[in-house]
Amino acid sequence: MRGKRSKAYRKLMSQYNISFGFREPYQVLVDAEILKDADRFKMDLVGGLERTLQGQVKPMITQCSIRHLYALSGSEFPGKDQIIDLAKRFERRRCNHHELEQPLSERECLEAVIIHNGENKHRYCVATQGGDVRAMLRAIPGVPLIYINRSVMIMEPMAPISAMKRERGEREKFRAGIIDTRPKAGAKRKRLPEKEGEGDGEVEVGAGAGDEEGEEEQEEKKKRKRKGPKGPNPLSVKKKKKSLPKPVTPKPADAPKSEASKPAGSGESTKGADNKEKKRKRKHKSAKTDGTPIEAKDGSGLQA
């Protein structure tokens, strides 16, 4: 349970830091009642405040609270001197009520010290056991409240008015961020050359900070990714089957070559080949091999 509580307190203090500007060491106003309860439960008040606020603390006490401690009776509070010694170690917060004959009540004194124009101007954290004091401070935005319950130090959750102010501040920051990113009227974008070597490209220059805004917008557009339909997961897609090459049937060696298969750049044309075949004379079967003239039917002799 202690871990959950410390985590919640850390988150709560980070919200106070962001929305209301709290910083370490936290200024903690303590009253006389919480000092008496811490002495009764034998608690380390400063250590408990540091564990609750998740950081260094600067305890403070008002002059009226010190006067209330001096007014205690020794019979009712035997540890009166110890309580006063502890209170003297804290920083004294001047409330300017020491001129009065009787000190003001804790509620009136803290109200005068903390509230300025309806706000917690000095960013005080308040550690008090008075229920009426905490009820009064819940109406002020940005006041962390701490009290002791059965020897356990507890910090109250953020009050509704503080939560509303925090949400309003977040919306204003969001709107301011949107307005700042919009291009201002009259500002022109800077046109950069497409290639690195083109140094003489036309450049449109605007007045003032328009050039810087144009460059920033171009960089933002480059960083942005286009939103669109995404392709399928390549690991889940079935791979296409590779088509096998068709088997080549070998041609027989005795097959005649077609005319188209002949090279087009050959020196002999088909017509020349036909003429040569025509010019060749067919030898007669009865021709002699020794070169003697063959006698024709008509009796004319052919000379070799």
Side-chain angles (χ1 to χ4, degrees):
M1 192 64 186
R2 185 180 298 175
K4 291 182 180 179
R5 190 164 55 244
S6 64
K7 186 176 180 181
Y9 293 164
R10 189 183 303 111
K11 182 179 179 181
L12 188 58
M13 287 309 300
S14 66
Q15 292 176 357
Y16 278 114
N17 294 348
I18 295 169
S19 302
F20 300 99
F22 281 78
R23 294 291 181 272
E24 294 186 31
Y26 302 117
Q27 299 183 108
V28 184
L29 275 174
V30 299
D31 64 348
E33 297 296 326
I34 199 168
L35 284 169
K36 291 188 288 185
D37 286 354
D39 181 71
R40 186 178 62 179
F41 293 120
K42 307 298 181 183
M43 288 180 62
D44 180 12
L45 184 61
V46 178
L49 290 173
E50 289 180 349
R51 288 191 299 271
T52 304
L53 296 176
Q54 302 289 323
Q56 296 180 358
V57 298
K58 185 178 181 181
M60 307 174 76
I61 191 168
T62 62
Q63 294 171 334
C64 293
S65 297
I66 288 285
R67 293 174 69 181
H68 284 297
L69 292 176
Y70 278 109
L72 296 176
S73 62
S75 60
E76 294 181 1
F77 297 95
K80 172 185 173 181
D81 295 336
Q82 297 177 2
I83 298 172
I84 293 173
D85 292 340
L86 179 62
K88 286 180 179 180
R89 298 176 191 173
F90 300 160
E91 184 177 338
R92 191 72 58 86
R93 178 64 174 85
R94 294 181 180 178
C95 57
N96 298 326
H97 300 149
H98 61 280
E99 298 176 357
L100 302 176
E101 294 181 0
Q102 294 294 330
L104 295 179
S105 63
E106 299 284 357
R107 184 180 184 280
E108 294 174 349
C109 182
L110 292 175
E111 183 179 2
V113 170
I114 296 169
I115 302 172
H116 294 276
N117 297 327
E119 294 183 355
N120 184 10
K121 181 180 178 181
H122 300 288
R123 300 177 180 86
Y124 288 122
C125 303
V126 182
T128 177
Q129 292 295 100
D132 57 342
V133 178
R134 294 202 303 272
M136 179 265 297
L137 294 175
R138 288 191 197 104
I140 309 302
V143 183
L145 299 174
I146 302 165
Y147 65 97
I148 296 173
N149 183 17
R150 295 180 183 178
S151 71
V152 177
M153 192 167 288
I154 295 173
M155 180 166 56
E156 290 189 0
M158 190 176 289
I161 189 169
S162 300
M164 288 174 61
K165 187 173 181 180
R166 175 178 169 273
E167 292 176 1
R168 195 182 302 115
E170 294 294 330
R171 286 197 297 269
E172 289 176 358
K173 290 178 183 178
F174 181 71
R175 289 171 185 169
I178 292 174
I179 292 169
D180 291 342
T181 55
R182 294 175 183 172
K184 295 182 179 179
K188 294 182 179 179
R189 294 182 181 178
K190 190 173 182 180
R191 186 178 297 172
L192 299 174
E194 295 180 358
K195 297 180 181 179
E196 295 179 359
E198 296 178 4
D200 300 333
E202 296 180 359
V203 179
E204 296 180 3
V205 181
D211 302 342
E212 298 178 359
E213 291 180 358
E215 292 178 0
E216 291 177 358
E217 288 179 1
Q218 288 181 0
E219 291 178 0
E220 288 179 1
K221 285 184 179 180
K222 289 179 182 179
K223 291 179 182 178
R224 291 175 188 169
K225 295 181 180 179
R226 293 184 178 178
K227 295 182 180 179
K230 297 181 180 179
N233 188 357
L235 299 177
S236 64
V237 176
K238 190 176 182 182
K239 295 182 179 180
K240 294 182 180 179
K241 293 183 179 179
K242 296 182 179 180
S243 58
L244 297 174
K246 295 181 180 180
V248 180
T249 56
K251 293 183 179 180
D254 300 336
K257 294 182 179 180
S258 60
E259 295 181 358
S261 63
K262 292 181 179 180
S266 60
E268 297 180 356
S269 62
T270 55
K271 292 181 179 181
D274 296 341
N275 293 335
K276 286 182 179 180
E277 289 177 0
K278 289 180 181 179
K279 288 180 180 180
R280 290 176 185 174
K281 291 183 180 181
R282 188 175 180 182
K283 293 182 180 182
H284 199 269
K285 293 180 180 181
S286 60
K288 295 181 180 180
T289 57
D290 55 356
T292 56
I294 299 170
E295 296 182 356
K297 292 181 181 180
D298 54 356
S300 60
L302 297 174
Q303 296 180 1

